[in-house]
Amino acid sequence: MAKRKDGKKTKQKLLDVACDVFAEKGFREAKITDICRRAGANVAAVNYYFGDKESLYVAAWRQAMEQFLSNDTLPPEELPPETRLQMAIRHIIHKILIDGQDRGYFRRIELMELANPTGLVDDVWKAIIAPRQKEMLDIIRDIMGPTASEDAVILCKMSIINQCRGYILIQKSRLESIDSQPLTPERAEQIAEHITRFSIAGIKAVCEETEIP
């Protein structure tokens, strides 16, 4: 039993350190020997628990993303779709601008992946994000109504997500310089509210132009 517990601890330690190293250096520059040294393990442990560097990277990226998305809750379906959209956007913005600045590895490891794409995490990303994308699509359909085209719904979803996702690419100091205001929870709330109003207005405008006859 003790051996099994030690094994679990070693595996988790390797995973935690891998998150840190991949977030710091990216996949290509990260070295397995460096990860093992920091984790107090040998290279054979990586091969035993993960198989290779690629598999360790995917596992680390998954852990970072799942930690980032922890405590996610779906807006109640009985609420108006505009309110559900507001709640969803607010949740995303606070995750990126407030939670993501201070804890977890996802923001940094995702920036590394965006700067130098590996293609290794595509399947994991799709599997984790797919339910959340469906949620957003359902909300937008409810706002646009049954006569809206599916393509219009998808494009609106992409516009909203990219408004939020763009903040991942901006460091806190640069964002404060651009915005001329300190990044506080209150400011994040204002940003989320603006994206919501902007998005709802855009959705309704697109809906008027692309309704199916």
Side-chain angles (χ1 to χ4, degrees):
M1 183 65 68
K3 183 176 181 181
R4 177 175 295 180
K5 289 182 178 179
D6 289 344
K8 288 182 178 179
K9 288 181 180 179
T10 299
K11 181 179 180 180
Q12 188 59 52
K13 182 65 174 178
L14 283 167
L15 201 52
D16 292 341
V17 172
C19 284
D20 196 19
V21 174
F22 286 130
E24 177 187 331
K25 299 183 177 181
F27 171 75
R28 292 178 177 83
E29 296 301 320
K31 305 296 183 185
I32 290 296
T33 52
D34 187 25
I35 293 172
C36 291
R37 177 181 57 80
R38 296 192 196 186
N42 55 47
V43 175
V46 171
N47 296 331
Y48 178 77
Y49 290 114
F50 300 99
D52 52 29
K53 179 181 177 182
E54 288 78 6
S55 297
L56 176 59
Y57 178 70
V58 172
W61 196 92
R62 177 191 287 275
Q63 173 172 288
M65 189 172 193
E66 288 178 345
Q67 287 177 347
F68 180 76
L69 295 174
S70 62
N71 301 319
D72 275 4
T73 56
L74 298 177
E77 293 186 4
E78 63 270 18
L79 293 176
E82 291 84 358
T83 302
R84 289 157 57 205
L85 181 63
Q86 179 186 38
M87 293 175 66
I89 290 174
R90 180 182 182 276
H91 186 73
I92 294 170
I93 288 298
H94 275 262
K95 278 282 189 180
I96 293 173
L97 293 184
I98 304 303
D99 296 346
Q101 294 283 351
D102 301 320
R103 67 176 180 84
Y105 303 101
F106 179 69
R107 191 171 185 274
R108 290 183 290 136
I109 203 170
E110 172 69 347
L111 282 172
M112 285 294 186
E113 177 66 24
L114 290 171
N116 295 286
T118 63
L120 295 171
V121 297
D122 290 353
D123 290 341
V124 176
W125 188 89
K126 291 175 184 176
I128 295 176
I129 292 299
R132 292 167 175 82
Q133 288 193 339
K134 182 181 183 302
E135 172 197 342
M136 183 68 74
L137 288 168
D138 289 343
I139 292 172
I140 294 170
R141 285 192 193 97
D142 287 345
I143 295 174
M144 298 184 79
T147 60
S149 70
E150 186 64 14
D151 189 53
V153 173
I154 292 172
L155 289 174
C156 285
K157 183 264 297 183
M158 290 173 61
S159 294
I160 294 170
I161 293 300
N162 285 327
Q163 285 182 79
C164 300
R165 190 174 171 81
Y167 284 98
I168 291 180
L169 304 175
I170 308 175
Q171 294 179 352
K172 179 180 179 181
S173 60
R174 292 182 180 178
L175 176 60
E176 291 179 338
S177 176
I178 294 170
D179 192 24
S180 301
Q181 295 196 39
L183 179 56
T184 62
E186 292 74 23
R187 188 55 176 169
E189 190 73 29
Q190 291 175 338
I191 290 171
E193 182 62 27
H194 168 76
I195 293 175
T196 301
R197 293 198 309 269
F198 192 87
S199 298
I200 290 174
I203 288 171
K204 291 182 177 179
V206 169
C207 186
E208 292 175 358
E209 296 177 358
T210 60
E211 285 187 342
I212 300 174

